[in-house]
């Protein structure tokens, strides 16, 4: 296992749609975080089997079909990968600083465009093969090749030479193999050192290396990845215990060969996949698993359901009301500010439960978060009405889309709708749809009206909120927002090697986004988890709640 | 259900002996105190549905989120719902969709099942075959699941769409009852007499067959209205019924289910739904008893 897995609670499944970026590194990292927090748990009564220090972690998701971190950006898969593979660097749960795991050093050049990564000597894969720079370079080249069709391909789009390996293909067509098989920006310098040259300077690149989706594969797996998709050979603290077939629990035992820092205390870990979150929760109450996420429907009752066994993590995520940039009726920033100021965030956060009202676009536990960032987030119906009048009012009904698969979707939508209706005198209607349908409509810019969205960072930087959601081609630009000025400021931040100066630039970008307000900040949510009496999950302000790193009683 | 059907069918046979006039029926019913009480309760619910302002002057859509889930206080006897709206007003206004669905679907079903049953029973052969086989097909669909699947495919569900779909899937039961009653009536002397002097079939059906064959279906319909109120609540609870911002008992149930810590959200609509449903069932029971020849003497 990685000594310090990336942290962070997952994006919330809020009333409507929460989406992580897909493809690009942002997404991947986010997922890693999510997995971490969700995955760990072992049942007190459960069949972890074997050693004294064993735990059963419930994952509320469909069973995995394979284990391959490079082809995995969903939280369940990353969570499992986190046990079997180790990342280059990780976030220290005590200090929030980035610490080395497989890497010995990560060094940028003066412009943050070329990064040199040196590995610690002596690490091996679980098949005995020594871990070298070549394993990273070749694994990354394999993933960056569009025709491999692995999910973390997008991570490498920042690396020089990516475009040559990923020529544009028509939508839906399978990418064809290219004659170029390697990223020109990726160079092996010696056995333990390699360098990455990016297309443009990116000061946060070092942080992104904690993503589990960049784990190396050994040579025998690289030769025939399909043959190993159900018997992974990792470099982490755990290995598969016997054979594993999709649909079964994933049983892992400690691998003695792991020499990285901060090995988890557990001797054996079982991941049990339970597709329905409420069922998983009930399995915990029945004593069959040791760790489970509290689903949104149980937020008000989990403390009485498991009075001695719950933990909460400070939020690593934020939730928004998303404006449709493609509908001219919602264009005027004054109208958006009016909507924002008509919302009583305090009461809404109380309704959500375990949430704090947002006053900015980034998660409150981020370096660079400013509690007073938003000038238009105070609840002031009178000022809101006046702003709406200045914006020329609103014609027609405001439609609020909510996710029907979430038990609370409709309730949250009605709460927002009531405030807009009563405080601004607007007509409000509601449309319930499947979350995936809402996302698809929004992606094709056909969605009518507002919807909920959420975002959790993939690596601990406020840049990972601003770039995905507000950059004109961001992976998670839910609102279709486009501001050349903001793009320019973000690029300046990316090129700024001094972390403090970079944060100032990113904060400036946040201010621009708040003036235009494509997303209205709503709340930041804490995640809650239940754990059995025999374990205590690791809880950190920086890395969230991680069952993988539980201590045992 | 099949048991109920057998009861109806046996009644139909007995009916050949004697039929109650409508006035006799009413007199027999009014003698039963439980019938009178239930009629009064049902009338109260109808008033709520038609004129909610008689019961409350509070606007059910005026909500203050800060009062979410609060208990009772002066002027707000049922407390507040999740959104901080007055719950008493919401429960009163929630009667309308329930009553509309149950009455329209109930009596619409009575009309559809009655007409089809008349035709199937009076014209054996092709007409009967077509109607009965269609009914068999609909019988083969698992009821609630069919409703969920169909309603899920309708994007903007209004109350009328829900009623329509209940009607389309629900008529075969009543049609069978009607058809078997018509079988027993169609060969009675007055029908044969009318036919022999050349009265057109539609007039025979209207004047002679229908009035003498409708009673069991009527009893069944009244019994079933209670169930329809429940069905509206079930569909809305499952998320395939009415959509917000409609106020209905079913949606109040659906919300209350997620908030176990505020039992008042559940209890009040539950009391109203149960009372209305049970009242309709007792009324239906009373009508059926009054029509049962074995109990008449």
């Amino acid at each position: 296992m990685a000594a310090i897995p990336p942290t962070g609670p997952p994006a919330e499944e809020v009333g409507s749609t929460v989406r992580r970026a897909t493809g690009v590194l942002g997404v991947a990292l986010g997922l890693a975080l999510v997995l971490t927090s969700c995955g760990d748990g072992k049942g007190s009564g459960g069949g972890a089997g074997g050693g004294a220090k064993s735990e059963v972690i419930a994952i509320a998701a469909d069973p995995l079909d394979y284990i391959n971190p490079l082809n995995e950006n969903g939280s369940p898969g990353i969570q499992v990968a986190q046990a079997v593979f180790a990342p280059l660097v990780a976030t220290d749960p005590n200090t929030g600083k980035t610490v080395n795991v497989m890497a010995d050093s990560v060094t940028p050049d003066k412009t943050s465009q070329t990064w040199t990564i040196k590995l610690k000597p002596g690490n091996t894969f679980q098949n005995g093969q020594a871990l070298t720079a070549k394993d990273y370079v070749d694994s990354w080249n394999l993933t960056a090749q569009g025709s491999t069709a692995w999910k973390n391909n997008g991570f490498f789009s920042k690396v020089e030479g990516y475009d040559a390996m990923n020529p544009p293909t028509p939508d839906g067509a399978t990418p064809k193999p290219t004659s170029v098989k390697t990223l020109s920006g990726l160079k092996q310098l010696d056995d333990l050192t390699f360098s990455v040259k990016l297309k443009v300077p990116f000061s946060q690149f070092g942080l992104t290396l904690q993503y589990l989706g960049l784990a190396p594969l050994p040579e025998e797996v690289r030769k025939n990845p399909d043959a190993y998709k159900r018997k992974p050979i990792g470099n982490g603290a755990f290995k598969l215990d016997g054979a594993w077939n999709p649909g079964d629990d994933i049983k892992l035992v400690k691998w003695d060969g792991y020499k990285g820092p901060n090995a988890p205390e557990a001797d054996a870990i079982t991941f049990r996949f339970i597709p329905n979150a409420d069922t998983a929760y009930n399995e915990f109450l029945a004593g069959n698993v040791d760790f489970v996420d509290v689903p949104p429907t149980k937020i008000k009752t989990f403390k009485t359901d498991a009075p001695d066994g719950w933990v909460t993590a400070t939020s690593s995520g934020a939730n928004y009301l998303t404006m449709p940039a493609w509908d001219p009726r919602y264009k005027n920033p004054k109208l958006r500010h009016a909507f924002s100021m008509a919302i009583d965030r305090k009461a809404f956060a109380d309704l959500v439960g375990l949430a704090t009202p947002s006053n900015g676009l980034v998660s409150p536990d981020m370096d660079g978060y400013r509690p007073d960032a938003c000038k238009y987030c105070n609840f002031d119906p009178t000022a809101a009405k006046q702003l709406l009048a200045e914006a020329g009012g609103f014609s027609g009904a405001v439609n609020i889309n909510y996710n029907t698969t979430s038990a609370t979707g409709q309730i949250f939508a009605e709460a927002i709708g009531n405030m807009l209706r009563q405080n601004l005198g607007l007509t409000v209607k509601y449309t319930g749809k499947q979350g995936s349908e809402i996302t698809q409509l929004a992606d094709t810019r056909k969605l009518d009206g507002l919807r909920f969205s959420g975002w959790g960072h993939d690596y601990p930087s406020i840049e990972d909120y601003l770039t995905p959601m507000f950059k004109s081609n961001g992976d998670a630009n839910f609102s279709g927002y486009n501001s050349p000025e903001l793009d320019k400021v973000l690029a300046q931040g990316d090129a700024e090697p001094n972390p403090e100066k970079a944060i100032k630039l990113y904060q400036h970008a946040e201010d621009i986004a708040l003036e235009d307000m494509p997303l209205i900040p709503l709340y930041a949510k804490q995640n809650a988890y239940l754990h059995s009496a025999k374990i205590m999950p690791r809880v950190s302000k920086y890395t969230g709640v991680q069952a993988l790193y539980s201590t045992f009683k | 259900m099949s048991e109920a059907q057998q009861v109806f069918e046996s009644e139909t046979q007995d009916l050949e002996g004697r039929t109650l006039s409508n006035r006799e029926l009413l007199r027999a019913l009014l003698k039963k105190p439980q019938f009178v009480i239930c009629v009064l309760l049902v009338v109260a619910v109808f008033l709520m549905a038609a004129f909610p302002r008689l019961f409350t002057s509070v606007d059910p859509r005026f909500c203050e989120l800060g009062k979410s889930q609060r208990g009772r206080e002066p002027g707000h006897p049922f407390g507040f719902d999740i959104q901080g709206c007055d719950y008493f007003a919401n429960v009163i206004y929630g009667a309308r969709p329930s009553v509309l669905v149950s009455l329209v679907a109930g009596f619409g079903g009575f009309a559809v099942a009655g007409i089809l049953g008349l035709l199937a029973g009076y014209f054996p052969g092709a007409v009967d075959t077509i109607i009965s086989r269609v009914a068999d097909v609909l019988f083969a669909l698992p009821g609630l699941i069919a409703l969920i699947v169909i309603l899920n495919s309708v994007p903007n569900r209004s109350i009328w769409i829900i009623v329509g779909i209940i009607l389309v899937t629900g008529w075969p039961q009543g049609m069978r009852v009607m058809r078997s009653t018509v079988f027993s009536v169609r060969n009675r002397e007055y029908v044969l007499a009318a036919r022999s002097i050349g009265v057109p079939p539609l007039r025979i059906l209207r004047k002679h067959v229908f009035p003498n064959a409708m009673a069991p279906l009527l009893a069944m319909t009244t019994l079933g209205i209670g169930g329809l109120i429940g069905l509206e609540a079930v569909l809305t609870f499952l998320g395939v019924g009415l959509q917000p911002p409609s106020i209905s008992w079913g949606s109040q149930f659906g919300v209350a289910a997620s908030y176990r810590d505020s039992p008042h959200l559940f209890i009040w609509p539950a009391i109203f739904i149960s009372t209305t449903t049970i009242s309709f069932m007792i009324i239906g029971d009373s009508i059926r008893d009054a029509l049962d020849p074995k109990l008449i003497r």
Side-chain angles (χ1 to χ4, degrees):
Chain A
M1 249 347 239
I4 304 152
T7 180
E12 306 291 325
E13 179 80 17
V14 187
S16 184
T17 320
V18 177
R19 196 174 56 153
R20 313 220 106 209
T22 50
V24 181
L25 66 90
V27 171
L29 289 170
L31 293 171
L33 297 173
V34 171
L35 289 173
T36 316
S37 36
C38 312
D40 270 308
K42 90 194 233 174
S44 31
K53 291 181 175 178
S54 67
E55 56 176 340
V56 180
I57 298 172
I59 299 184
D62 290 326
L64 293 181
D65 189 44
Y66 57 82
I67 301 173
N68 176 1
L70 292 160
N71 187 19
E72 195 63 79
N73 59 15
S75 149
I78 292 286
Q79 200 167 343
V80 173
Q82 192 154 38
V84 181
F85 292 85
L88 284 167
V89 299
T91 302
D92 185 295
N94 300 315
T95 63
K97 301 280 179 241
T98 303
V99 295
N100 295 322
V101 182
M102 289 292 120
D104 198 28
S105 66
V106 176
T107 326
D109 66 356
K110 273 189 197 136
T111 60
S112 301
Q113 189 164 5
T114 302
W115 292 69
T116 306
I117 298 159
K118 196 169 166 42
L119 301 175
K120 285 178 186 161
N123 284 309
T124 64
F125 284 101
Q126 289 162 359
N127 63 356
Q129 187 210 309
L131 177 65
T132 64
K134 184 173 179 353
D135 295 307
Y136 277 97
V137 171
D138 288 359
S139 299
W140 289 8
N141 278 331
L142 184 62
T143 312
Q145 175 77 51
S147 57
T148 310
W150 282 358
K151 289 178 184 160
N152 289 324
N153 173 281
F155 179 93
F156 302 98
S157 61
K158 284 195 162 74
V159 180
E160 197 179 83
Y162 175 84
D163 296 340
M165 295 172 80
N166 294 272
T169 41
D171 276 351
T174 321
K176 295 203 173 62
T178 52
S179 53
V180 186
K181 301 285 183 202
T182 54
L183 289 164
S184 58
L186 209 51
K187 286 208 176 70
Q188 186 182 348
L189 303 178
D190 62 42
D191 259 9
L192 293 174
T193 319
F194 64 105
S195 69
V196 186
K197 185 173 186 209
L198 306 174
K199 285 184 205 159
V200 292
F202 181 40
S203 55
Q204 313 293 305
F205 184 74
L207 290 173
T208 69
L209 294 176
Q210 62 179 276
Y211 180 42
L212 246 302
L214 303 177
L217 300 177
E219 190 175 0
E220 63 173 294
V221 177
R222 292 198 302 271
K223 276 187 191 148
N224 188 0
D226 277 351
Y228 289 90
K229 65 182 189 176
R230 284 163 195 160
K231 38 181 180 176
I233 298 173
N235 60 337
F238 292 88
K239 59 178 183 181
L240 269 187
D241 183 11
W244 168 68
N245 293 308
D248 295 349
D249 292 351
I250 297 180
K251 291 188 178 157
L252 306 175
V253 291
K254 194 162 213 157
W255 175 54
D256 296 331
Y258 177 70
K259 300 193 193 76
N262 295 1
E265 196 181 314
D267 294 323
I269 288 185
T270 301
F271 289 103
R272 180 167 298 163
F273 293 86
I274 304 171
N276 181 303
D278 283 345
T279 310
Y281 183 85
N282 291 332
E283 283 286 303
F284 174 87
L285 296 182
N288 295 331
V289 296
D290 293 309
F291 184 88
V292 73
D293 290 27
V294 175
T297 47
K298 309 289 185 190
I299 275 299
K300 305 259 180 184
T301 50
F302 73 91
K303 288 184 187 173
T304 44
D305 287 343
D308 305 320
W310 55 268
V311 289
T312 57
T314 55
S315 159
S316 306
N319 292 275
Y320 315 91
L321 192 61
T322 305
M323 294 283 167
W326 48 92
D327 186 337
R329 294 180 300 164
Y330 296 93
K331 253 256 125 92
N332 192 328
K334 282 191 175 165
L335 173 119
R336 298 173 173 187
H337 295 156
F339 278 26
S340 173
M341 294 174 79
I343 294 169
D344 181 354
R345 283 178 181 69
K346 170 82 182 58
F348 191 75
D350 287 347
L351 175 72
V352 173
L354 274 186
T356 48
S358 291
N359 209 15
L361 293 168
V362 305
S363 172
D365 58 353
M366 291 284 104
D367 220 6
Y369 165 79
R370 294 163 297 162
D372 55 350
C374 180
K375 282 180 279 180
Y376 310 99
C377 294
N378 53 321
F379 177 48
D380 188 344
T382 322
K385 244 188 201 138
Q386 199 185 332
L387 277 171
L388 182 68
E390 286 172 25
F394 186 86
S395 65
V398 177
N399 189 34
I400 302 181
N401 295 282
Y402 65 88
N403 183 356
T404 47
T405 44
S406 152
T408 47
Q410 177 186 330
I411 292 167
F412 294 174
E414 282 189 81
I416 294 291
N418 284 337
M419 292 190 278
L420 294 181
R421 183 171 51 81
Q422 286 175 203
N423 298 333
L424 295 176
L426 299 170
T427 315
V428 178
K429 60 187 177 121
Y430 307 89
T431 310
K433 286 196 169 80
Q434 300 270 337
S436 53
E437 204 184 334
I438 297 176
T439 310
Q440 200 203 337
L441 283 171
D443 286 348
T444 52
R445 308 297 185 232
K446 285 182 191 138
L447 190 73
D448 170 28
L450 313 176
R451 67 175 177 135
F452 294 95
S453 62
W455 183 253
H457 57 263
D458 295 323
Y459 47 92
S461 164
I462 60 172
E463 182 270 335
D464 193 28
Y465 284 83
L466 299 163
T467 303
M469 289 191 289
F470 302 103
K471 200 175 168 187
S472 52
N473 61 350
D475 305 315
N477 192 336
F478 308 120
S479 60
Y481 178 64
N482 185 341
S483 158
E485 191 193 351
L486 182 137
D487 288 357
K488 202 180 83 196
V489 176
L490 277 181
Q492 288 169 357
D494 289 349
E496 174 57 63
N498 179 325
E500 274 160 32
K501 285 185 189 158
I503 282 181
K504 283 268 179 296
L505 285 161
Y506 291 135
Q507 286 174 338
H508 182 199
E510 186 187 3
D511 290 338
I512 296 170
L514 281 167
E515 279 302 323
D516 292 338
M517 207 165 262
L519 306 185
I520 296 178
L522 285 181
Y523 61 94
K525 195 168 169 343
Q526 285 181 279
N527 292 305
Y529 308 87
L530 304 186
H531 63 89
S532 65
K534 74 174 179 185
I535 62 165
M536 183 60 210
R538 188 170 79 186
V539 182
S540 152
K541 179 183 163 192
Y542 304 102
T543 56
V545 173
Q546 293 172 304
L548 186 61
Y549 294 89
S550 296
T551 51
F552 288 77
K553 289 170 191 162
Chain B
M1 260 315 160
S2 68
E3 210 174 293
Q5 214 172 312
Q6 280 169 6
V7 173
F8 285 121
E9 272 161 19
S10 67
E11 272 169 13
T12 354
Q13 314 266 264
D14 292 339
L15 277 174
E16 294 207 42
R18 173 168 158 65
T19 350
L20 275 183
S21 78
N22 289 346
R23 183 172 301 182
E24 277 174 313
L25 177 63
L26 190 60
R27 200 174 302 144
L29 287 173
L30 287 177
K31 272 191 229 154
K32 297 168 187 268
Q34 77 267 35
F35 176 81
V36 178
I37 293 172
C38 289
V39 167
L40 291 178
L41 283 174
V42 165
V43 168
V45 172
F46 283 6
L47 279 178
M48 257 181 234
F51 310 106
R53 295 200 169 276
L54 287 179
F55 296 82
T56 175
S57 55
V58 179
D59 178 359
R61 296 196 195 283
F62 179 78
C63 311
E64 293 167 89
L65 195 53
K67 293 186 172 173
S68 177
Q69 287 170 273
R70 278 214 212 148
R72 61 196 305 177
E73 47 185 72
H76 304 283
F78 290 4
F80 295 88
D81 72 4
I82 292 293
Q83 307 290 356
C85 322
D86 178 57
Y87 208 37
F88 179 72
N90 269 276
V91 173
I92 296 289
Y93 277 79
R96 183 173 290 174
S98 302
V99 168
L100 266 184
V101 168
S102 55
L103 282 191
V104 178
F107 288 101
F110 177 80
V112 173
I115 291 170
L116 291 174
L118 269 183
L119 297 176
Y122 194 73
F123 301 107
V127 176
D128 182 25
T129 309
I130 292 171
I131 295 177
S132 296
R133 291 301 82 76
V134 173
D136 288 346
V137 169
L138 287 173
F139 257 124
L141 292 176
L144 190 56
I145 297 184
L147 282 176
I148 293 173
V149 170
I150 299 172
L151 285 169
N152 248 330
S153 61
V154 182
N156 291 312
R157 296 181 293 270
S158 73
I159 198 162
W160 303 112
I161 287 176
I162 295 173
V163 166
I165 292 172
I166 292 178
L167 278 185
V168 167
T169 55
W171 58 268
Q173 195 103 30
M175 189 281 294
R176 284 202 179 166
V177 171
M178 190 68 182
R179 175 171 166 269
S180 58
T181 334
V182 173
F183 271 155
S184 69
V185 174
R186 66 190 293 269
N187 290 325
R188 301 278 279 274
E189 294 83 348
Y190 52 85
V191 178
L192 293 176
R195 209 186 291 166
S196 66
I197 58 169
V199 179
L202 273 185
R203 187 177 161 84
I204 298 180
L205 282 177
R206 197 156 43 90
K207 284 277 176 186
H208 303 291
V209 179
F210 183 71
N212 290 295
M214 59 163 256
L217 180 61
L218 182 64
M220 185 182 155
T221 301
T222 353
L223 262 179
I225 285 179
L228 286 171
I229 292 187
L231 182 62
E232 185 276 324
V234 166
L235 292 174
T236 307
F237 173 77
L238 291 175
V240 294
L242 296 171
Q243 291 169 309
S246 314
I247 298 173
S248 89
W249 291 338
S251 60
Q252 284 157 9
F253 257 167
V255 170
S258 307
Y259 292 87
R260 277 180 292 150
D261 50 334
S262 299
H264 72 272
L265 295 179
F266 177 78
I267 290 169
W268 292 113
I271 290 178
F272 277 69
I273 291 192
S274 327
T275 311
T276 316
T277 309
I278 292 170
S279 299
F280 271 113
M281 289 191 165
I282 292 178
I283 292 173
D285 247 357
S286 309
I287 296 179
R288 198 195 55 190
D289 288 351
L291 288 171
D292 187 342
K294 285 179 218 137
L295 299 176
I296 283 178
R297 276 142 234 168

